Amino acid sequence: MSLFVKKPIADLLVEAERGILRRSLGPLNLTALGIGSVIGTGIFVLTGTAASQNAGPALVLSMMLAAIACAFAGLCYAEFAAMVPVAGSAYTYAYATVGELFAWIIGWDLVLEYALSTATVAVGWSGYFVSFMRDLGAPVPPIFTAPWGTMVPDGAGGTVHAVFNLPAALIVAAVAMLLVRGIRQSASLNTELVLIKCTVLIVFIAVGASYIQQENLTPFIPPNTGNFGHFGISGVLRGAAVMFFAYVGFDSVSTAAQEARNPQRDMPIGMLASLAICTVLYIGVAIVLTGIVPFSRLNVPDPLAVGIDATGVRWLSPFIKVSALFGLFSTMLVTMLGQTRIFFTMSRDSLLPELFGRVHPTFRTPHLSTAVTAVVVALVAGFTPITKLAELTSIGTLLAFVLVCLGVIILRRTSPDTPRPFRTPWMPWIPILGVFTCVVQMASLPLATWERLAIWLVLGFVVYFGYSRQRAAGARRQRAASTPPMPAGIRPSAP
């Protein structure tokens, strides 16, 4: 049945060598892509939300739990990325292991990770931009600073209904234009922005460490209020699920596989190195932030700036905000890159319209896919609150990680002889633990988030069975008909 048609590993390896996309990224670029995607809204915005609403000072435990789940999944991703160095991330891996239907599910699910992640980060960028412009004495009109219907301060002591988050939409358009220009230019700019924001986070940790007050860290795990996820152990778990968004993106390195110079060696380095660096920075920021500001005061759009203001070192606050603007821009750059490359690969497999696979004749980038993605993401960012976007992004990514971990186990059984430049250690326990830790975090998310995920998946099934399945089957028949028959007496070689 076409539902379970698999894409042979041999075909994927041939596809990787076709050279449709320009191979220009080395291990430093790939690591920077991972860091650029990871260090964004999660650390600059959601740290305050998770600390004030869920975990309190135990935010650091939530970050550790999320990092452990990512590490398990990252080891599985690394095996796949080295073995199948093709753009498409977990979608491609699913196609090679469990068939077309599951590949479609995970590809559709990855839209929640990359497209909604870009929208979420754009909303976070808008919050810092509005705050920075206010500091400069050139405030953005309040009606254009938040989604439709949101009550925002009018600057005169009252409130007004917002209409559209205009800065969020405009920054998405700017990112799209840069991506159309070319991957090499985008990656080079991203590397520079990563250095800036990592430097500022290190300065924040170094300056803030001497202002930590023990009473702000006591009790370390605030008592539960009677509601699941509102402090206590359940709050730590809910905080891990919320902060999981902060780690979304290290896997986006795998979407650039066809643009890596030596993907078998460099892909695992890029993913695991970026995850390790970001985890160390996150833990340091969490300890310092909750140590210098009572967690109840952190439910703000710019918690790091609030933290620096609390120290009295006010000259550093503008640098924090500017760094956040640069840092969030680089995050959007990588996540939108990931989304367009997944659409590119799905189009090449005939599961999406052909326009998503078209490449610009000069820039050699999927320009039409980037343009369509940018329009949708800009509208979502302009009309949707950040908390809703972050929860949907987290549950979509967690589901993708679960399927990748299961895929490693399946492929070890179905294709044991396929060369693996990188092998996930301690099989099958690492992928099993990856599934377990991701499922626990999914279970701690609100019921409404599960309902939205279910609606999204049902919509995906409608598209698949109404369009994609027949188109992909027709493309396979056309390829089979155009393949010349083997001469008599010649046996086809094994893949």
Side-chain angles (χ1 to χ4, degrees):
M1 293 179 64
S2 63
L3 297 177
F4 303 104
V5 169
K6 299 178 184 178
K7 197 169 187 180
I9 298 292
D11 289 356
L12 292 172
L13 295 177
V14 170
E15 181 180 334
E17 296 303 321
R18 284 178 182 169
I20 298 174
L21 300 175
R22 178 173 289 138
R23 292 193 177 277
S24 57
L25 304 181
L28 178 60
N29 293 128
L30 292 171
T31 301
L33 280 176
I35 297 173
S37 182
V38 172
I39 297 181
T41 296
I43 192 66
F44 286 110
V45 180
L46 295 180
T47 46
T49 302
S52 63
Q53 303 298 314
N54 305 118
L59 174 66
V60 65
L61 297 181
S62 298
M63 286 184 166
M64 289 179 180
L65 289 175
I68 289 170
C70 289
F72 291 143
L75 289 168
C76 297
Y77 258 102
E79 177 170 320
F80 271 128
M83 184 172 60
V84 190
V86 180
S89 185
Y91 158 79
T92 300
Y93 311 152
Y95 214 151
T97 56
V98 288
E100 183 180 279
L101 174 61
F102 292 94
W104 170 263
I105 292 172
I106 201 168
W108 189 254
D109 173 66
L110 284 173
V111 176
L112 291 179
E113 176 178 352
Y114 291 116
L116 288 191
S117 175
T118 305
T120 310
V121 176
V123 176
W125 185 94
S126 175
Y128 272 91
F129 177 77
V130 170
S131 176
F132 185 63
M133 294 304 291
R134 189 185 306 118
D135 293 345
L136 293 179
V140 178
I143 61 172
F144 296 123
T145 61
W148 175 274
T150 304
M151 299 299 297
V152 295
D154 62 2
T159 58
V160 64
H161 285 280
V163 175
F164 186 73
N165 196 330
L166 185 60
L170 292 178
I171 195 63
V172 170
V175 170
M177 287 190 288
L178 182 59
L179 285 174
V180 168
R181 180 69 181 173
I183 179 64
R184 185 174 58 195
Q185 292 86 347
S186 303
S188 298
L189 175 61
N190 175 72
T191 301
E192 295 169 3
L193 295 179
V194 164
L195 291 175
I196 292 173
K197 63 184 177 182
C198 286
T199 300
V200 170
L201 288 179
I202 292 171
V203 171
F204 174 83
I205 294 170
V207 172
S210 59
Y211 293 90
I212 292 176
Q213 300 179 38
Q214 185 64 37
E215 57 268 26
N216 290 334
L217 299 174
T218 307
F220 186 65
I221 303 179
N224 185 262
T225 61
N227 297 320
F228 183 90
H230 197 57
F231 305 115
I233 298 300
S234 66
V236 173
L237 293 176
R238 174 70 61 81
V242 172
M243 289 311 302
F244 183 83
F245 177 86
Y247 292 95
V248 169
F250 78 89
D251 57 310
S252 63
V253 174
S254 64
T255 66
Q258 281 181 261
E259 291 150 291
R261 289 195 295 266
N262 187 355
Q264 283 87 354
R265 183 198 67 186
D266 297 342
M267 300 300 290
I269 293 174
M271 282 189 286
L272 298 177
S274 61
L275 178 60
I277 292 169
C278 292
T279 299
V280 172
L281 286 174
Y282 278 14
I283 291 173
V285 169
I287 294 173
V288 171
L289 182 62
T290 55
I292 60 181
V293 180
F295 65 85
S296 59
R297 291 170 44 196
L298 290 174
N299 192 23
V300 293
D302 51 352
L304 268 64
V306 170
I308 283 297
D309 287 344
T311 66
V313 188
R314 295 188 177 274
W315 61 267
L316 189 55
S317 181
F319 290 95
I320 293 291
K321 292 180 180 180
V322 171
S323 172
L325 293 174
F326 284 132
L328 295 174
F329 183 89
S330 71
T331 301
M332 287 182 279
L333 195 68
V334 180
T335 52
M336 191 180 290
L337 167 73
Q339 180 62 73
T340 56
R341 270 44 178 184
I342 289 171
F343 278 162
F344 172 84
T345 304
M346 294 178 74
S347 174
R348 294 281 170 172
D349 292 335
S350 301
L351 290 173
L352 289 178
E354 182 265 341
L355 72 89
F356 287 100
R358 292 182 189 173
V359 175
H360 194 281
T362 302
F363 301 133
R364 295 176 67 185
T365 57
H367 58 300
L368 295 180
S369 175
T370 302
V372 172
T373 300
V375 170
V376 174
V377 170
L379 291 174
V380 172
F383 286 112
T384 312
I386 191 170
T387 51
K388 301 282 193 300
L389 290 170
E391 289 173 354
L392 267 174
T393 303
S394 290
I395 198 168
T397 308
L398 286 163
L399 177 59
F401 283 9
V402 167
L403 296 177
V404 167
C405 292
L406 292 175
V408 166
I409 298 175
I410 293 171
L411 202 59
R412 284 287 186 98
R413 292 182 175 274
T414 58
S415 301
D417 298 327
T418 301
R420 290 170 168 81
F422 178 88
R423 299 176 69 89
T424 302
W426 303 306
M427 285 287 291
W429 301 112
I430 290 295
I432 289 174
L433 288 171
V435 170
F436 174 76
T437 52
C438 289
V439 169
V440 167
Q441 291 183 73
M442 291 175 71
S444 68
L445 285 167
L447 177 61
T449 303
W450 281 89
E451 292 171 348
R452 295 185 187 101
L453 175 64
I455 292 171
W456 178 253
L457 292 177
V458 168
L459 179 61
F461 283 128
V462 171
V463 175
Y464 175 74
F465 287 104
Y467 171 80
S468 300
R469 180 187 178 192
Q470 289 82 356
R471 189 171 188 272
R476 283 193 296 272
R477 288 192 297 269
Q478 186 176 2
R479 285 194 296 269
S482 63
T483 302
M486 296 293 294
I490 301 297
R491 294 172 60 88
S493 57

